[in-house]
Amino acid sequence: MRPVPRGDLAALRAAGIGVNVHYIPVHLQPYYRGLGFKEGDFPAAEARYARTLTLPLYFGLTDAQQNEVVAALRNALVV
């Protein structure tokens, strides 16, 4: 699986899909950076973060809305 380029997020947002990146590795949070942690300290966590994306998911999401999300995701991730 390839990393999710931030441009893909912009494409999804432009298509009206509420997408975001959550669960930033703890060592990259400002508090822990202040303690001296930096990028590269936990490569597995950073690799997972680079491939993670939060899509809309809630009880009232209709089949049609799910199809919109899937279509927009396919269009954004075409290589």
Side-chain angles (χ1 to χ4, degrees), residues 2 8 14 18-19 26 37 45-46 48 53 56 59 67 76 78:
R2 71 177 177 85
D8 290 348
V19 64
V26 172
F37 291 98
E46 292 170 31
R48 178 69 175 171
L53 147 82
F59 180 76
N67 291 335
V78 170

Side-chain angles (χ1 to χ4, degrees), residues 2-60:
R2 71 177 177 85
V4 179
R6 297 308 179 231
D8 290 348
L9 297 179
L12 289 165
R13 289 180 183 133
I17 307 300
V19 64
N20 214 330
V21 178
H22 292 97
Y23 312 113
I24 297 168
V26 172
H27 71 286
L28 298 179
Q29 298 287 345
Y31 175 80
Y32 291 95
R33 283 184 182 261
L35 294 176
F37 291 98
K38 61 190 177 313
E39 285 188 42
D41 285 346
F42 298 94
E46 292 170 31
R48 178 69 175 171
Y49 171 66
R51 291 172 174 80
T52 301
L53 147 82
T54 303
L55 297 171
L57 176 67
Y58 55 92
F59 180 76

